Amino acid sequence: MPILDKDFEIEIQDENVDEAPSVQLPMNFLTFGEIENDDVKVYIKQDVYKALEKLAASDTTKELGSIILGEYCQEHGKTHVIISQYIEAKYTDASASTLTFTHETWDYVHAEHEKRYPDKKIIGWQHTHPNYGIFLSNYDMFIQENFFNLPFQVAYVIDPIQNLRGFFQWKNGRIEKLKGYYIYDDVGKPIKIEQTKVKKEKPAPAKTSKAASILIALLCIATLFLSFFAISLNNKYEKQLEKQEEILADISSQQEEIKNQKDEIEGQKTEIGKQNEVIQNQADAIAKLQELLANGVLDSTGQTTAADLLEMLENHELTLQNQDELIGELKALLEKQPEENVVAFKAYTVVAGDSLSKICAANNLDYASNYKIILAINGIKDANQIYVGQTILLPVGADTN
């Protein structure tokens, strides 16, 4: 019976049967079994039917499976399912009584679906029961109820040894076996399917009472053995169901953790956005301040305030509120400064043996009062790092001593 691998993922379709598309129903078909009026009407194309029969008979030592594709529609209040393609479930882990759809299996199915049949829908699934007969085990029911639970999705079971097959449908919220189905093909193409005929066995000759007693004893032993076997299988399936529930709980926990991580990332993005806004405002203020200093519109008092503000901005030590307050103070200084105190700047080229303090002394500038503004204007980070041939701007025109 099919088992789901812990690591696999199934992409569940969300088609709503109430919005089922209009599909041309097959005109050329044969009926197999009895068609109930209120059952889902299942049509399987002749070549798909034969291909699945061939696949089922290719290896009867283990279970085989596939995903069946096609279309569905609603006509006169009845659901019609038309199976036109299939994808073999490769890379499975299988035995005589189990079939595991692995992660690799579903990767292959989804890739084939997208590449070869993108216009087809997943109509259901198919698997084999070699010599077990046609039924859905407890675990088969679990898969149908959890992964193929749309009203039009069916399960198709083939027993290649007993030459039996059958479809299972959703009916009144329950899974029931269909009594009949259709095999179809294109109009004008003959449908040649050999229907299985049940051979009637001749009645066995009468046995002696001793032989009958032996036969009854053997039947009792076989019944007892089968009872223990059935109990063992049931326990096995119960353990498999418990394992599946643990897997689903683990998946749910992981999804919740991913959601929490996503929320945390969104919060971090918001905080980074705010920090970027502060940095951008500081960069704008630096550029504006450098422009004011370069144009020489600050007196000596203003230069000191400007240099301090520029240093704090470059080191990102200001909040938006403090930054606005300091810029306001600068604006007030600019409005109060007399026109005659406008500071101009001159260019000076560094020669061998120069230091910033020597340059200030040679140009009648007080080093302690002016070195910060000189660094800021010229983009110099370290007063001791100037080089021969470098051109720097020096403030002139105001009271610089």
Side-chain angles (χ1 to χ4, degrees):
M1 313 310 164
I3 299 174
L4 304 182
D5 184 74
K6 180 177 181 181
D7 296 325
F8 89 97
E9 297 175 0
I10 298 180
E11 180 182 357
I12 303 301
Q13 297 182 336
D14 59 355
E15 287 91 351
N16 190 323
V17 73
D18 294 331
E19 300 176 356
S22 177
V23 176
Q24 178 63 49
L25 295 178
M27 303 295 291
N28 176 28
F29 57 85
L30 292 179
T31 303
F32 290 79
E34 300 177 6
I35 305 299
E36 296 287 342
N37 184 53
D38 57 345
D39 280 350
V40 173
K41 306 301 183 288
V42 175
Y43 301 79
I44 180 168
K45 198 167 185 180
Q46 179 176 204
D47 58 354
V48 176
Y49 176 90
K50 292 179 178 180
L52 292 177
E53 289 288 309
K54 184 176 180 181
L55 174 64
S58 66
D59 190 347
T60 58
T61 64
K62 63 182 181 181
E63 290 194 2
L64 305 174
S66 63
I67 301 299
I68 48 181
L69 310 172
E71 304 289 345
Y72 73 95
C73 66
Q74 288 279 0
E75 291 288 342
H76 307 296
K78 296 178 177 58
T79 301
H80 299 261
V81 173
I82 301 96
I83 301 169
S84 57
Q85 301 290 347
Y86 78 99
I87 300 173
E88 181 182 353
K90 295 185 177 182
Y91 314 114
T92 59
D93 292 334
S95 67
S97 61
T98 61
L99 178 65
T100 301
F101 291 89
T102 65
H103 184 80
E104 290 77 13
T105 300
W106 285 106
D107 283 346
Y108 172 80
V109 168
H110 290 317
E112 287 292 294
H113 185 192
E114 182 177 357
K115 179 175 67 176
R116 298 176 59 191
Y117 315 113
D119 58 332
K120 302 299 180 184
K121 299 176 178 61
I122 294 179
I123 296 301
W125 63 303
Q126 172 269 329
H127 66 288
T128 61
H129 280 181
N131 211 28
Y132 294 151
I134 304 305
F135 65 97
L136 290 184
S137 67
N138 291 338
Y139 203 78
D140 296 340
M141 297 283 282
F142 175 83
I143 293 177
Q144 187 71 17
E145 291 170 353
N146 287 275
F147 304 107
F148 299 95
N149 52 18
L150 298 179
F152 59 87
Q153 291 181 318
V154 298
Y156 184 32
V157 182
I158 302 174
D159 185 339
I161 296 178
Q162 298 185 35
N163 198 19
L164 300 173
R165 60 207 50 78
F167 286 91
F168 293 83
Q169 63 174 334
W170 283 103
K171 184 175 181 181
N172 300 322
R174 299 178 59 186
I175 303 171
E176 295 183 8
K177 186 176 182 296
L178 283 166
K179 292 184 178 180
Y181 54 94
Y182 305 100
I183 297 179
Y184 79 97
D185 215 321
D186 299 331
V187 174
K189 188 172 182 178
I191 300 174
K192 299 180 180 180
I193 302 294
E194 295 183 3
Q195 299 194 47
T196 304
K197 295 181 179 180
V198 179
K199 297 181 179 180
K200 295 183 179 180
E201 296 183 356
K202 296 181 179 180
K207 307 290 183 180
T208 63
S209 57
K210 182 177 180 180
S213 299
I214 295 173
L215 180 60
I216 292 172
L218 291 174
L219 287 175
C220 289
I221 294 173
T223 301
L224 184 61
F225 172 77
L226 289 175
S227 296
F228 282 114
F229 181 70
I231 292 173
S232 176
L233 280 180
N234 185 64
N235 291 336
K236 181 178 179 181
Y237 288 132
E238 290 295 332
K239 290 180 180 179
Q240 290 174 345
L241 287 176
E242 291 176 1
K243 183 178 180 181
Q244 184 64 30
E245 290 176 358
E246 292 176 358
I247 293 172
L248 293 176
D250 185 47
I251 292 173
S252 177
S253 176
Q254 291 177 358
Q255 290 175 339
E256 182 65 24
E257 183 177 352
I258 291 172
K259 180 179 181 300
N260 292 337
Q261 291 176 350
K262 182 178 179 182
D263 293 342
E264 183 178 348
I265 291 172
E266 291 298 326
Q268 291 175 351
K269 286 182 179 179
T270 301
E271 184 62 28
I272 291 172
K274 292 179 180 179
Q275 293 175 359
N276 287 340
E277 181 181 358
V278 172
I279 293 172
Q280 183 60 47
N281 289 339
Q282 292 174 348
D284 294 343
I286 290 171
K288 182 64 178 177
L289 189 56
Q290 289 176 335
E291 179 183 355
L292 292 174
L293 294 172
N295 292 332
V297 296
L298 297 175
D299 59 13
S300 59
T301 303
Q303 290 171 13
T304 301
T305 304
D308 292 339
L309 175 60
L310 186 61
E311 182 180 9
M312 297 176 74
L313 287 170
E314 290 176 338
N315 293 332
H316 303 294
E317 294 176 351
L318 294 178
T319 64
L320 289 173
Q321 181 179 358
N322 292 339
Q323 175 181 312
D324 292 339
E325 292 175 356
L326 289 175
I327 291 176
E329 292 179 11
L330 274 175
K331 290 181 177 178
L333 288 171
L334 291 173
E335 292 173 357
K336 291 179 181 180
Q337 70 175 17
E339 184 176 352
E340 59 272 15
N341 280 341
V342 171
V343 177
F345 295 87
K346 70 175 183 179
Y348 177 83
T349 302
V350 179
V351 298
D354 272 348
S355 67
L356 196 56
S357 60
K358 289 179 62 177
I359 293 172
C360 287
N363 289 273
N364 296 320
L365 294 172
D366 180 60
Y367 176 76
S369 301
N370 290 280
Y371 83 94
K372 289 185 178 180
I373 194 66
I374 294 172
L375 296 180
I377 292 171
N378 293 279
I380 301 172
K381 295 183 178 180
D382 188 341
N384 296 317
Q385 292 183 356
I386 59 177
Y387 54 89
V388 176
Q390 178 181 6
T391 299
I392 60 176
L393 295 176
L394 299 174
V396 297
D399 184 7
T400 55
N401 289 311

